[in-house]
Amino acid sequence: QVRLHESGPGLVETSETLSLTCSVSGGSVTPYWWSWIRQPPGKGLEWIAYIYYNGDTNYNPSLKSRATLSVDTSKNQLSLKMTSVAAADTAVYYCVRYGFYHFDTWGQGILVTVSS
Amino acid sequence: QTVVTQEPSLSVSPGGTVTLTCGLNSGSVSTTHYASWYQQTPGQTPRPLMYNTNTRSSGVPDRFSGTILGNRAALTITGAQADDESDYYCVLHVSGDIYVFGPGTKVTVL
């Protein structure tokens, strides 16, 4: 059974870059699509973007200018970078496998707090 | 901007039936929006419930069902149980090949 594990700093300063990694175990990043989804504390879910194992991507228009997804097939990892973060980017960030038009396998999530 | 709508909260009696809906500010929801639903209890990871409008995810009991109801996607819980008390999120695949989540529906079983 595939498992996803997000890692990265839990605290990022305002205007800096948030960098997260998702390690995939029990399966391969190929030939799947993968997504990042976030959830501010006490609020709802927001889709950030998805990426195919070959690097094809699509982004939420509201975040497109700041978010970048990448995949490293040799390490079986995905990554998310988000620039110029602000308090509104404080959230639990989930790495998610994207199946047939849905998000079928979720990581446990990582809380990232943006602090000044 | 595409906005997905859901009821903020619904309540159901144990053993009862409740229907949650998922709409679009820009028009009708159809099967081409590939509606999917997720259940989340506080502090937990979202659990996939339904996808492609009416296909149950692995391990989901058949008292959960999905359909298109009028111009909205709908998730029905039949024979509600105490542990169905959760937040439920729908998400739609919309123009631009992107996904938009609804704000969630808090279901109370009482």
Side-chain angles (χ1 to χ4, degrees), chain A residues 37 39 43-47 50 58-59 61 94 98 100-104 106-108, chain B residues 34 36 38 40 44-46 48 51-52 57 89 91 93 96-99 101-103:
Chain A
I37 292 168
Q39 185 172 35
K43 297 188 178 180
L45 299 164
E46 180 180 31
W47 175 74
Y50 59 65
N58 201 14
Y59 294 90
Y94 294 101
Y98 171 57
F100 179 75
Y101 292 103
H102 77 296
F103 307 105
D104 65 8
W106 294 62
Q108 283 301 301
Chain B
Y34 299 100
S36 58
Y38 303 83
Q40 188 181 35
Q44 299 298 311
T45 297
Y51 66 97
N52 193 22
S57 298
Y89 294 93
V91 59
H93 179 250
D97 201 17
I98 64 173
Y99 286 87
F101 279 92

Side-chain angles (χ1 to χ4, degrees), chain B:
Chain B
Q1 182 182 354
T2 301
V3 175
V4 174
T5 59
Q6 295 184 249
E7 298 84 3
S9 62
L10 292 169
S11 63
V12 59
S13 300
T17 297
V18 62
T19 296
L20 294 66
T21 70
C22 179
L24 266 178
N25 67 331
S26 55
S28 297
V29 177
S30 72
T31 56
T32 63
H33 290 100
Y34 299 100
S36 58
W37 295 85
Y38 303 83
Q39 177 191 48
Q40 188 181 35
T41 52
Q44 299 298 311
T45 297
R47 170 198 181 197
L49 283 181
M50 195 76 58
Y51 66 97
N52 193 22
T53 304
N54 57 11
T55 303
R56 278 185 295 276
S57 298
S58 177
V60 174
D62 60 7
R63 55 199 182 77
F64 290 89
S65 61
T67 191
I68 297 293
L69 210 57
N71 61 354
R72 293 171 169 259
L75 175 75
T76 297
I77 308 172
T78 304
Q81 300 180 359
D83 60 3
D84 295 333
E85 188 161 292
S86 300
D87 294 324
Y88 292 82
Y89 294 93
C90 73
V91 59
L92 301 177
H93 179 250
V94 301
S95 175
D97 201 17
I98 64 173
Y99 286 87
V100 181
F101 279 92
T105 296
K106 184 177 182 62
V107 171
T108 302
V109 181
L110 48 73

Side-chain angles (χ1 to χ4, degrees), chain A:
Chain A
Q1 180 179 350
V2 65
R3 297 177 72 93
L4 311 177
H5 178 69
E6 304 90 347
S7 60
L11 186 64
V12 181
E13 293 199 0
T14 300
S15 78
E16 296 295 311
T17 297
L18 176 161
S19 295
L20 297 176
T21 298
C22 173
S23 298
V24 180
S25 60
S28 173
V29 296
T30 65
Y32 292 99
W33 290 86
W34 303 88
S35 197
W36 289 88
I37 292 168
R38 70 180 182 177
Q39 185 172 35
K43 297 188 178 180
L45 299 164
E46 180 180 31
W47 175 74
I48 298 172
Y50 59 65
I51 185 167
Y52 195 39
Y53 76 97
N54 68 358
D56 288 347
T57 54
N58 201 14
Y59 294 90
N60 184 326
S62 68
L63 296 169
K64 184 174 183 178
S65 63
R66 297 195 295 125
T68 302
L69 267 61
S70 60
V71 59
D72 187 332
T73 55
S74 66
K75 293 183 178 179
N76 226 28
Q77 289 181 337
L78 311 151
S79 67
L80 165 69
K81 292 189 188 299
M82 187 174 296
T83 60
S84 304
V85 296
D89 295 311
T90 293
V92 174
Y93 286 76
Y94 294 101
C95 173
V96 187
R97 191 176 72 176
Y98 171 57
F100 179 75
Y101 292 103
H102 77 296
F103 307 105
D104 65 8
T105 305
W106 294 62
Q108 283 301 301
I110 181 170
L111 174 62
V112 178
T113 301
V114 178
S115 172
S116 56

